[in-house]
Amino acid sequence: MKIALAADHGGWNLKAAIQNYLQKTSHQVVDLGIDQEERVDYPDFAAKVARQVSQGRVDLGILVCGTGIGMAITANKFKGVRAAVVTDLYTARMSKEHNNANVIALGGRVLKEDQALEIVKTWLEAKFEGGRHQERLNKIAKIERENFL
Ligand code: RB5
C-alpha cells in the first residue's frame, strides 16, 4: 500500500514510529511532515494528506495531531475522503469494515505508541464489508456532491 503520513507538533513523534512500522511491514510511505518539534497548524498538514488521497495519488492516509480531531475535521473537507478519529482497536476495525475509512486520524496525546501501532495494523488488515455499508457510503457521497462546490 502507498500511504501518506503527516502530523503536527502534537503527533510528530508518534508519526515517526508509525512511519518506521509501515516501512518495516513493506508499505510505501509518503512523508508529508513534520519531522521535528516545531509549532505548526494542523489544517495545513491534514490538507496535504487528504489532497493525495482525494486525487488517488496514494491508497490511504494517516494523520496525527494531539487528539486526531482537528486533522479529521480538515481531511473530511476533501472530496472522497472518509477520515475517522480512531481511539482503540474496535473503532480501528469498524472504521474500515463499516465506513471504509481511507484516512485515520490518531491522537499523539491520547495513545501510547504500542496502542497506535496496533490500531494501524488492525485498520490495515480489516476489510470493508460492502453491501448495506456501501449503500450508506453512497448516501454520504451524494450529500458531498450536493453540498460542496
Ligand atoms: C495543537 O495544540 C492541537 O490543538 C492539535 O494537535 C490537535 O489536537 C487539534 O485537533
Side-chain angles (χ1 to χ4, degrees):
M1 288 276 189
K2 190 172 179 183
I3 304 172
L5 293 186
D8 73 353
H9 50 283
W12 72 272
N13 43 5
L14 180 55
K15 179 183 77 74
I18 293 170
Q19 184 166 351
N20 185 40
Y21 170 77
L22 291 175
Q23 283 164 343
K24 276 200 301 204
T25 50
S26 305
H27 293 286
Q28 188 185 343
V29 172
V30 178
D31 178 15
L32 297 171
I34 60 174
D35 296 306
Q36 57 187 19
E37 181 65 53
E38 100 188 77
R39 191 165 296 279
V40 296
D41 296 329
Y42 62 80
D44 298 333
F45 290 86
K48 286 175 194 274
V49 165
R51 190 170 293 115
Q52 295 273 317
V53 173
S54 183
Q55 294 177 349
R57 294 176 190 274
V58 297
D59 300 303
L60 298 170
I62 300 176
L63 292 163
V64 194
C65 62
T67 59
I69 296 169
M71 289 293 201
I73 290 171
T74 309
N76 280 317
K77 302 297 180 194
F78 284 75
K79 188 168 186 292
V81 170
R82 293 177 300 277
V85 178
V86 169
T87 54
D88 53 31
L89 298 185
Y90 181 71
T91 53
R93 187 163 61 80
M94 284 298 115
S95 74
K96 182 70 81 54
E97 289 185 356
H98 286 195
N99 311 110
N100 203 14
N102 48 17
V103 173
I104 54 169
L106 305 178
R109 296 174 184 155
V110 178
L111 298 168
K112 295 190 184 352
E113 184 179 311
D114 58 338
Q115 291 175 303
L117 298 183
E118 275 298 309
I119 282 171
V120 168
K121 180 175 189 287
T122 299
W123 174 61
L124 289 174
E125 288 177 358
K127 298 273 178 282
F128 178 50
E129 290 178 354
R132 69 184 187 281
H133 302 295
Q134 182 59 56
E135 289 167 23
R136 291 163 185 162
L137 296 191
N138 293 347
K139 291 193 177 193
I140 295 173
K142 182 166 180 282
I143 290 167
E144 185 178 72
R145 284 195 302 278
E146 289 168 351
N147 289 279
F148 281 79
L149 292 178

